[in-house]
Amino acid sequence: MSLSFVRTEMEEPQPAPSSTVGIVAWARTNLFSSIPNTILTIIALYLLVRLAVGIFPWIFLGVWDAGSLSECREIFAELYPDGREYACWAVIADRWDQIIFGYYSADQYWRPILGWILIGVSAVPVLYPNTPRSLLYVTVATAFVYPFLVWGGTIWPYLMAAVGFGVGYGVYRILAAVTAGNAFSSVIAVSGSVIAAAVWWIGLSGPISGALAEAMPWGIEAFRSRDLAGFALAITIGVVAIAASLPLAIALALGRQSNMLIVNKLSTGFIEMIRGVPLITLIFVAVVLLQYFLPSGTDVDPILAIMILVTLFTAAYIAEVIRAGLAAVPKGQYEAADSLGLNYGLAQRLIILPQALKIAIPGIVSNFISVFKDTVLVSIVFPNDPLGIADTIRADSNWNGIVWELYGFIALVFFLFCFAMSRYSLSLEKRLQTGHR
Amino acid sequence: MKRSIFACAAVALTMTGGALAAQTLDAVKERGELNCGITEGTLGFSARDANGVHQGFDVEFCRALAVAIFNDADAVNYVELSSANRFTALTAGNADVLYRTTTWTLTRDVDLKTNFVGVNYYDGQAFMVPAELGVSSALELDGATVCIEVGTTTELNLADYFRANGMEYQPLPVGGTTEAKALFEEGACDVYTTDGSALAGVKASFPDPSAYVILPEVASKEPLGPAVRHGDEQWADVVRWVQNALIEAEEYDITSENAAQLAESGSIPAVNRILGVEGGLGEMLGLENDFALNMITKVGNYGEIFARTIGESTPIGLPRGLNALYTEGGIQYAPPFR
């Protein structure tokens, strides 16, 4: 018996039925799968169209070129005799630079712009691991260059602040070498370097930078904190809080997990105290009450006080997120680290923290997003945040009566920043996904 | 030995304490600029323009004070204060003087340890209605729906005013000026009430301001004036007499244009005393004798400041009303320079 026919080549596969692929299928499964679903889809589509019909003309038929709200209205009256009015974007054209850069004079705009570019560059090696490590030097330098660009004055105080870290590190290396072999070597070296750096900053850096500034007054125009405004203010507070709070938060989270009683209690107490008080209360205390406690005439720099507080506040919250990450690392990982003979520092750095932070990333980034938006809370004590600027612009008789255009623009800028952060967090999660969860 | 050190320290402490309180003028002179507390943005009274420069009625008074001290209208460091921290900033010494649309009340004067040294704007709660309602007096508002910002003194004043006049009203509580304006514009309420100066700003922001009228009655007294710290009478005198000079200058028709001329001709004794040609009054205050001359030349008299920033020729269009001189039916009145 033999087969009379054997097919020698494969039949071309048939295309999938049109009802299961393409946009029709997608719409059928997602939008019109059942009668209630279809009804909801139609209602939603109707509302969306209504919204678009209402908003889009207002946005896209707006006037960009006018000197005041009443000029806008005259233009509309001329164009549309039936009394229709659309957005008066002229206020943004007139004042967008104030909203973004605050009260820097136009010839100083390069300072915040350069600062933000530096922040962008310095974020690269932190955000993307496959970049040259030498970029990390830019990151470190930015910590001192950015304040110099924002506040200006002579370059020396910023340089002396940076030197303080060098002093601390140098003392650490020397003490570590001298006390090598001693059981308390690391404790002695660390506390010695902290003391040396503190002595440098508090006692020496001021007079030295003062003397240098007199001898070589190199610098740029000084800028007062009080004139820092708009998104330049929000970004400065946000970036400082984000950059400074993460290391602090890691230290607090580890402290709270620690077996050392005092470290543990101090960390717990700090976290709970900060988390127990609303941010707005803390800001109020920092700026208003502090003035009562300090000697008369002491000018508490409100921006500095707010930055410190927002940093502490964010750190306390992120510490809890990281603690949750630490708790989620299986106990076996700790035991594995111990069995390899790693000491505490190495075990945390090489095994525990990378896993814990990976788990904590979404929580950390959502804290960053909320702290960036929380910067507008400073308006209660310091009226120059982006929303405060909107009030100031509305108090100009040219723009008195403008509402939607201004707040819409500010909302858009906030959205762009926050959306970028959340996209970044998603991509980071995907890249770090190693199939543990 | 120990005791004597202690005594020295105590004496030093009391001295510095007294010195701090009494030296605002010297401190300002030494600093080279005046720390002037203003609002973060109030239409007509203070706001930054497109170049970031402060403009407004209160700002002009800061400038006038700076001219009186330094003969330089730009020697001012504007300290923008919210209503929450204005008095703290003053008490703590971050501002030398508040020109911050602050109502002079007993509790603020006494309890908050501030000294109010005058009134630069007599404000009062007023009522705005659409013109088509045909109402010409607040006493015709019986039964009206009133847009009122919750939790403000205006809310209490409104209740008092309607009860005192035996009228009924329907309150429509709103959260703030922006919301109130929108509701009023679409006709959800017949009347919108808040301080007269703010009401004028709201009116000016409507597409057709003439469709609304502000009624002549005021339901409350809101005297807005400069405030200084308790305990420094010399500084309080300086701020008080700087303002008096501006008002007195208007009374004697001394303007930014003719001040120098008048000082040169020196024919009117009262004018001479104001402008420092005779009398040496400026030096008694710790200023230059010609402080008022400089001030009026550079900033203008009270009437000029008013007309330039909030007066009827500006978009805000506030009438002088109570703020006219006493000779013209108002109550702005300065004690004599002699």
Side-chain angles (χ1 to χ4, degrees), chain A residues 109-180:
Chain A
Y109 284 168
W110 62 272
R111 285 163 57 171
I113 293 174
L114 183 62
W116 296 336
I117 292 175
L118 268 181
I119 287 176
V121 173
S122 66
V124 168
V126 183
L127 304 184
Y128 298 98
N130 300 328
T131 44
R133 293 290 90 185
S134 55
L135 269 179
L136 273 174
Y137 291 113
V138 178
T139 310
V140 173
T142 302
F144 304 98
V145 175
Y146 186 71
F148 171 62
L149 287 171
V150 168
W151 281 283
T154 64
I155 200 164
W156 301 112
Y158 308 97
L159 217 55
M160 291 302 120
V163 168
F165 285 99
V167 168
Y169 183 68
V171 169
Y172 173 80
R173 289 300 290 267
I174 293 169
L175 282 180
V178 169
T179 60

Side-chain angles (χ1 to χ4, degrees), chain B residues 274-296:
Chain B
I274 299 171
L275 296 180
V277 180
E278 57 186 68
L281 299 176
E283 270 173 15
M284 285 183 208
L285 283 171
L287 304 170
E288 299 296 322
N289 274 332
D290 59 355
F291 78 96
L293 171 63
N294 295 330
M295 216 161 64
I296 296 159

Side-chain angles (χ1 to χ4, degrees), chain B residues 14 18 28 34 36 75-76 91 98 103 122 140 150-151 173 177 196 212 221 230-231 251 259 269 284 304 309 322 329:
Chain B
T14 28
V28 171
L34 170 75
C36 199
V76 187
T91 317
L98 284 189
T103 305
Y122 287 98
E140 301 167 27
V150 287
T177 314
Y212 301 90
K221 292 183 288 188
H230 257 188
E251 189 179 341
M284 285 183 208
E304 286 177 283
T309 53
L322 281 179

Side-chain angles (χ1 to χ4, degrees), chain A residues 33 76 90 147 151 161 168 241 400-401 406 412:
Chain A
S33 60
F76 287 128
W151 281 283
N400 174 25
L406 268 180
L412 178 73

Side-chain angles (χ1 to χ4, degrees), chain A residues 62-81:
Chain A
V63 167
W64 283 91
D65 189 18
S68 68
L69 179 58
S70 40
E71 265 182 46
C72 271
R73 282 172 175 157
E74 278 164 27
I75 292 172
F76 287 128
E78 227 171 82
L79 287 176
Y80 312 109

Side-chain angles (χ1 to χ4, degrees), chain A residues 357-426:
Chain A
L357 289 178
K358 188 177 75 187
I359 298 168
I361 280 172
I364 293 176
V365 175
S366 87
N367 265 299
F368 284 165
I369 292 175
S370 83
V371 74
F372 182 60
K373 290 184 293 175
D374 280 351
T375 53
V376 297
L377 285 182
V378 307
S379 61
I380 186 151
V381 289
F382 188 71
N384 279 350
D385 70 294
L387 292 184
I389 288 262
D391 280 344
T392 311
I393 294 172
R394 276 146 42 81
D396 183 330
S397 57
N398 284 334
W399 304 116
N400 174 25
I402 282 237
V403 182
W404 294 100
E405 293 87 340
L406 268 180
Y407 289 118
F409 177 73
I410 292 166
L412 178 73
V413 178
F414 266 117
F415 174 78
L416 289 180
F417 280 109
C418 297
F419 189 66
M421 281 196 259
S422 99
R423 286 284 109 175
Y424 168 70
S425 134
L426 273 184

